[in-house]
Amino acid sequence: MFGFKWQKTINVVCQMNLVMPRWNPLPKLVSTFWRTVSGGVSAAIKCAVCYFIQDLSSGGFPLLDAVVDRWLKALRECLASADSNVQQSAISAVTALIGEYFRHQPVEKLTALLNHFLPGVTSNNQQARVGNALTLGSMPRFLLTVSLPKVIQQLCTCALITDKTLQWAESRKNALTALSLVCTTVGIAPSSPGGVDQVTLAGIFRTFIDGFEDYTVDSRGDIGAIVRESAMYSIQVLTNTSQPDLLEADLIRSVLHAVAKQSTEQIRRNRLLAPNVFLLSSTVIPPFLTLSSRKNCVPSFHRLRWTFRPRRNVSICG
């Protein structure tokens, strides 16, 4: 309730500033919000502050560089919050803040800004990985292209399973999602200059293929299922933006085999998603391949054909 009241107060402040342009509440509010976000207050209040920052940024409100830097520091702390609502609010606020106040900054400042988020993707804190991975995926193109190879490398590293991060399925899921978002934002070369090149694209697809092998289980059950689901959605996104001649036959075959395997999953949502992803992925087989090569790209589909064909009087459980 208190968080709702403060959200209402923030909205009133924004409206008063529109009615009375000469009245600037920021000098007093900056220090108050800084203490709020950095202190041990409720998640609702932190979300309210994030919404306030997002609204100011979206409206192009003139802010001093010192204020922007201070708020960015507070928002980075919210990215590592254990509350998913705070994380999502902070991601939206960071995206709006950077998009408005850093668009015309020099490369040196953009590089320094990006370096604040990259270490969080491979942090020893699971929640920091979760929040920073999605934040990178939401970054504008002018920031991502400053150090695109490093961004992709960090996300691919976050998506890997290690002994220490075995139970961190959510961070791997977000890393795969962020990879597809980054590729969509910057584009695929050569149609998009400065975008993802062919070698890097192949590496990203292999990261997705590795995600299909995530069968991590804990007390909650098959937590690797969300990683496999994210891998399928990400492949679906990339096949819509990739040119067929950029993908090698061996890579396409590996993708189709991995997706076809998901059609026999016990998890119902993965099993139902697999046919759509398979059919879309099969359309990117390069047209210049010979008939025998095209057949080699497709797995032994007749063994799995029944999973793609709707059948009557069959109960599908998952």
Side-chain angles (χ1 to χ4, degrees):
M1 179 62 69
F2 183 62
F4 172 77
K5 289 181 179 179
W6 203 355
Q7 175 65 62
K8 186 176 180 180
T9 302
I10 289 175
N11 292 337
V12 171
V13 168
C14 293
Q15 293 172 5
M16 290 179 66
N17 194 70
L18 294 176
V19 176
M20 299 183 296
R22 295 183 180 179
W23 179 66
N24 187 359
L26 288 180
K28 186 175 181 179
L29 290 177
V30 167
S31 58
T32 302
F33 287 169
W34 172 256
R35 292 194 302 268
T36 298
V37 178
S38 300
V41 297
S42 69
I45 295 179
K46 289 186 177 182
C47 288
V49 174
C50 291
Y51 292 144
F52 175 76
I53 296 175
Q54 180 182 356
D55 289 342
L56 284 183
S57 303
S58 301
F61 195 94
L63 294 175
L64 298 175
D65 291 344
V67 175
V68 174
D69 293 339
R70 202 173 189 186
W71 281 358
L72 268 178
K73 184 177 180 180
L75 291 173
R76 289 201 303 270
E77 295 179 7
C78 291
L79 291 177
S81 172
D83 190 296
S84 60
N85 293 325
V86 174
Q87 276 191 345
Q88 291 297 329
S89 301
I91 291 171
S92 300
V94 167
T95 304
L97 197 68
I98 292 177
E100 177 63 30
Y101 301 108
F102 287 86
R103 185 173 298 276
H104 303 293
Q105 295 294 339
V107 176
E108 294 76 13
K109 188 166 185 177
L110 294 178
T111 303
L113 173 64
L114 194 59
N115 288 336
H116 284 303
F117 295 95
L118 289 175
V121 181
T122 55
S123 169
N124 293 328
N125 184 321
Q126 179 187 6
Q127 295 305 322
R129 287 192 175 207
V130 171
N132 282 277
L134 283 184
T135 302
L136 282 182
S138 305
M139 292 292 186
R141 190 180 194 277
F142 69 83
L143 182 60
L144 291 172
T145 52
V146 170
S147 186
L148 183 59
K150 195 171 183 180
V151 170
I152 294 177
Q153 179 185 4
Q154 289 290 93
L155 289 174
C156 288
T157 302
C158 181
L160 295 177
I161 300 179
T162 63
D163 293 338
K164 188 173 183 178
T165 64
L166 181 63
Q167 305 299 324
W168 297 359
E170 188 177 359
S171 64
R172 295 193 292 274
K173 163 186 170 290
N174 286 2
L176 295 180
T177 301
L179 281 171
S180 64
L181 292 175
V182 167
C183 292
T184 303
T185 301
V186 301
I188 308 296
S191 60
S192 178
V196 179
D197 57 36
Q198 184 175 5
V199 176
T200 304
L201 182 64
I204 293 174
F205 267 99
R206 292 189 182 94
T207 301
F208 293 155
I209 293 173
D210 291 340
F212 285 116
E213 301 300 324
D214 194 328
Y215 287 88
T216 308
V217 177
D218 66 1
S219 58
R220 296 168 292 178
D222 182 8
I223 60 175
I226 62 174
V227 181
R228 303 194 299 275
E229 182 182 16
S230 179
M232 280 194 285
Y233 275 119
S234 299
I235 284 179
Q236 191 173 29
V237 171
L238 252 62
T239 49
N240 281 326
T241 57
S242 303
Q243 299 179 10
D245 54 350
L246 294 178
L247 304 176
E248 298 179 355
D250 290 340
L251 181 62
I252 297 174
R253 180 166 54 251
S254 298
V255 169
L256 294 178
H257 274 277
V259 175
K261 182 181 177 182
Q262 296 302 304
S263 66
T264 60
E265 282 286 305
Q266 293 184 357
I267 306 298
R268 185 172 186 269
R269 65 177 184 273
N270 287 8
R271 191 170 64 243
L272 296 181
L273 177 61
N276 296 328
V277 179
F278 184 94
L279 293 177
L280 182 61
S281 300
S282 63
T283 61
V284 301
I285 298 177
F288 56 81
L289 291 180
T290 62
L291 180 60
S292 60
S293 298
R294 292 171 68 87
K295 288 182 177 179
N296 289 335
C297 286
V298 182
S300 301
F301 188 65
H302 66 279
R303 297 182 180 178
L304 303 173
R305 184 169 49 193
W306 63 273
T307 62
F308 293 90
R309 183 186 303 167
R311 299 174 63 92
R312 297 180 180 179
N313 302 325
V314 175
S315 176
I316 300 178
C317 302

